[in-house]
Amino acid sequence: MGNTEPGERGIVRSRLLHRVIPVSLAGALLVLLPWIDFWPSRFVSVLQALLPLLCLAAVAYSVVLLFRRAWILAAVLLVCLVLSLAPTLAPGTQAVCPPGSQFTVLSLNAGRGHTDPAGLAKEVSTADPDILVLVEASEPMIKALASSTAGWDYTERTGPLRTGGSVDTVILSRYPLRSEEPAAWQSDGALFDIPVALIDLPRAGQIRVAGIHPVPPTHDPAFWERTLNVLADWVQPRTDLPLVLAGDFNGARAHPQFRALAEGFDEAPPSYGPVPMGTWPANSVFPAFAAIDHVLVRGMASQGSQRFLVPGTDHFGIIAQLSACG
């Protein structure tokens, strides 16, 4: 009897270690993942984008631990999950100023110009936005969209789209628009240019709008990070006018590089309570999990937003209700 007890204790200890070690490693990964930015890495960027799915897996494993009466391990994993999600939650609207005249921005990654013009025209007619920001657009798509939209009056726009593929972004407005120098050029280390426009809204006044679309970190994490850094340097001194950054940032709040850029901006993303809704991939058998499309504002207020989906693109679009300072 005395000889078997140490062996049994060893078995129990071994089983405990087999649970403690995986839970400890998983918890540490969850907590640290949203903060890793000390070197550009495809693998890390993908894991950060997958954080919502990793958290769901952690919840499922916590339930298993609870059924096995491993209360402490389940509690530890759930605490790590909460700490991991904290920096990724929807920031909520900031009381930057009393709300004034409202206007609407529609932003969409148009899937290399393959978005269904009739489907997008329906969304435009329903939402009646004042400004359109179309990433991965093409001239034939814009022409078809104009033909499909009753009463099309988005006649003011940034320059012609040269490629008609993944690199082109256009800003369209029904009000007077004047193009400024892009916020990022390919020669600055950005694979995609970022157009900028000054728009004179009749009630809200003049605002500055930039159409955002850095190369995805899965393609080249160094270029992606460099573009966000260039953009962060660009926005810092431009405090003379209210500013809108809209488009496909290829970055979620789980990416510290995106959070650094978004600091000081207001956003009211489509969300389930405090959890932002995913905007990519929109055409998968799995629900969209990566919230990489955004409408960020500074010097004005974000009142709310909704997702929409049209055929031909793997992104949800965003319709954002904004207001000037009253």
Side-chain angles (χ1 to χ4, degrees), residues 15-249:
R15 289 177 178 173
L16 184 61
L17 286 176
H18 277 79
R19 291 181 183 177
V20 170
I21 292 175
V23 170
S24 300
L25 292 177
L29 174 65
L30 287 174
V31 173
L32 294 176
L33 194 56
W35 304 99
I36 299 175
D37 67 345
F38 45 84
W39 89 98
S41 165
R42 288 187 181 91
F43 180 68
V44 172
S45 297
V46 169
L47 283 181
Q48 289 169 332
L50 290 172
L51 186 61
L53 298 183
L54 296 177
C55 288
L56 285 177
V59 170
Y61 189 48
S62 297
V63 172
V64 172
L65 291 173
L66 289 173
F67 273 108
R68 293 180 177 178
R69 299 185 179 182
W71 318 113
I72 296 177
L73 290 180
V76 168
L77 190 55
L78 289 173
V79 169
C80 291
L81 184 151
V82 171
L83 293 175
S84 177
L85 282 178
T88 74
L89 298 180
T93 57
Q94 305 170 19
V96 293
C97 61
S101 299
Q102 295 192 5
F103 61 99
T104 303
V105 173
L106 183 150
S107 176
L108 174 69
N109 181 317
R112 301 188 178 186
H114 296 148
T115 289
D116 175 45
L120 181 53
K122 182 179 179 181
E123 297 295 335
V124 170
S125 297
T126 301
D128 194 29
D130 301 285
I131 300 166
L132 308 179
V133 178
L134 303 178
V135 170
E136 294 193 12
S138 69
E139 293 296 345
M141 188 210 79
I142 295 173
K143 185 177 180 180
L145 175 61
S147 300
S148 303
T149 306
W152 174 268
D153 58 354
Y154 300 94
T155 55
E156 300 282 335
R157 55 168 290 178
T158 49
L161 305 180
R162 295 168 293 176
T163 305
S166 61
V167 303
D168 285 320
T169 297
V170 65
I171 302 170
L172 301 110
S173 170
R174 53 167 47 124
Y175 301 115
L177 176 153
R178 177 167 59 87
S179 293
E180 284 194 324
E181 183 175 307
W185 296 86
Q186 294 183 33
S187 58
D188 293 329
L191 289 183
F192 306 157
D193 291 341
I194 297 177
V196 179
L198 299 180
I199 300 176
D200 295 315
L201 299 172
R203 295 179 301 277
Q206 190 175 69
I207 65 171
R208 179 177 283 114
V209 180
I212 311 300
H213 188 216
V215 65
T218 50
H219 175 76
D220 193 319
F223 267 116
W224 171 73
E225 184 173 297
R226 194 176 308 159
T227 303
L228 294 187
N229 290 339
V230 167
L231 189 55
D233 291 338
W234 178 85
V235 303
Q236 186 175 2
R238 284 168 174 80
T239 57
D240 56 321
L241 292 172
L243 177 60
V244 178
L245 306 181
D248 171 12
F249 289 69

